[in-house]
Amino acid sequence: MSGQSLLVPGELSPTRSVPGNIRRPEYVGKPAPTPYKGPEVQTPETVEAMRVAGRIAARAMAEAAKLIAPGVTTDELDKVAHDYMCDHGAYPSTLGYRGFPKSLCTSVNEVICHGIPDSTVLRDGDIINLDVTAYIGGVHGDNNATYLVGEVDEESRLLVERTRESLNRAIKAVKPGRQINIIGRVIESYAKRFGYGVVRDFTGHGINSSFHSGLIIPHYDSPHATTVIQPGMTFTIEPMLTLGTHEYDMWDDGWTVVTKDRRRTAQFEHTLVVTETGTEILTLP
């Protein structure tokens, strides 16, 4: 187990600006988004627009990831992703979403999700998740991945590798006619082999013109997730696995979610569209 000290909140930089010609999601400047009332099955035109948004999100994440190294701040990573999205005509979906102050989430070590980029300096041996969502053409594309910082201990490296594999297995399990809970069943059964916790209260979600449509994708075997998968549905799968408990605490910022036992956690995510035979990943660079 890593001997790294626990994270503490850093200092926030000023809010980054977005060029005025870039279209904003409807929730920017509002306390919350307007509830989505549309279908979960999308038109081919919407799916094509999501391919564009997904590619930009994936490339923005990849650009930010190039900078990951000991001594780099999480705010520097935010700037890279922010600039990439804006330079390609996309709005960073997290910026202003329910008041979130930055253009991506940076979740380090014991942070499960929604870490806010700030003056925190990455250390050799850390792991960090980058979660990037781009809005362009009236739709969102959402992806995340966990990266190693320098020389990482074997326990953490395996957690990251196996969390990625749990996502890959879940994606392969998606077929029209199956229920949504097949996704969580596959993830949970794989995670249990290694004694990992599976986070329950933060899930995958429907995504389209809405950042979160209301469709919930649990990463554990939920008996309530009985929605039948249909061609044309678009949603994320984003398993969060932990070295210990799945229970969590939240920082006073109202966003940063950390494991209750402060052990490490990893996450991977793609946005998908269901096809007649399986899925297409929309967040490939």
Side-chain angles (χ1 to χ4, degrees), residues 41 175-181 215 225-231 233:
V41 172
K175 306 284 184 189
R178 292 180 172 177
Q179 294 181 340
I180 288 291
N181 59 14
L215 177 66
T226 56
T227 299
V228 175
I229 298 169
Q230 301 176 59
M233 292 177 78

Side-chain angles (χ1 to χ4, degrees), residues 3-253:
Q4 298 279 53
S5 58
L6 298 179
L7 290 171
V8 295
E11 305 238 341
L12 285 179
S13 64
T15 302
R16 294 193 161 88
S17 62
V18 176
N21 64 316
I22 292 178
R23 179 178 173 185
R24 272 75 170 150
E26 59 82 24
Y27 52 74
V28 174
K30 296 164 54 178
T34 302
Y36 178 72
K37 298 188 185 301
E40 297 298 344
V41 172
Q42 303 305 309
T43 66
E45 292 76 19
T46 296
V47 172
E48 179 55 35
M50 291 180 67
R51 287 190 184 97
V52 174
R55 278 195 298 270
I56 291 174
R59 290 170 180 169
M61 185 173 71
E63 286 300 306
K66 290 178 183 177
L67 200 66
I68 291 173
V72 172
T73 68
T74 55
D75 189 63
E76 291 175 85
L77 303 177
D78 181 77
K79 183 179 188 305
V80 172
H82 176 94
D83 289 349
Y84 186 94
M85 285 185 274
C86 291
D87 289 348
H88 291 82
Y91 185 92
S93 300
T94 60
L95 184 61
Y97 178 78
R98 296 183 182 271
F100 192 85
K102 292 296 175 180
S103 298
L104 80 165
C105 300
T106 49
S107 300
V108 179
N109 295 345
E110 69 268 21
V111 180
I112 294 171
C113 57
H114 305 157
I116 300 174
D118 58 18
S119 61
T120 297
V121 176
L122 296 178
R123 303 160 297 181
D124 187 63
D126 284 341
I127 61 174
I128 179 171
N129 179 273
L130 303 185
D131 193 339
V132 181
T133 311
Y135 177 79
I136 187 171
V139 297
H140 301 267
D142 186 3
N143 68 161
N144 77 54
T146 303
Y147 300 88
L148 310 182
V149 184
E151 294 296 320
V152 174
D153 66 272
E154 182 73 356
E155 184 178 46
S156 299
R157 186 190 65 77
L158 285 172
L159 173 68
V160 170
E161 180 182 300
R162 290 164 176 167
T163 305
R164 181 192 293 112
E165 176 63 15
S166 77
L167 172 60
N168 293 340
R169 289 173 180 239
I171 290 171
K172 290 176 183 175
V174 175
K175 306 284 184 189
R178 292 180 172 177
Q179 294 181 340
I180 288 291
N181 59 14
I182 187 65
I183 295 168
R185 188 175 308 134
V186 166
I187 292 168
E188 187 172 42
S189 63
Y190 180 71
K192 278 184 174 179
R193 290 194 205 173
F194 312 105
Y196 295 154
V198 181
V199 173
R200 291 173 166 247
D201 288 355
F202 300 90
T203 68
H205 52 90
I207 184 169
N208 37 67
S209 59
S210 171
F211 195 171
H212 300 86
S213 72
L215 177 66
I216 294 172
I217 312 294
H219 301 122
Y220 65 98
D221 187 4
S222 169
H224 306 295
T226 56
T227 299
V228 175
I229 298 169
Q230 301 176 59
M233 292 177 78
T234 50
F235 52 81
T236 72
I237 304 176
E238 44 189 300
M240 292 151 262
L241 305 187
T242 69
L243 289 175
T245 182
H246 69 269
E247 296 180 344
Y248 66 92
D249 294 319
M250 187 173 288
W251 283 4
D252 291 343
D253 60 23

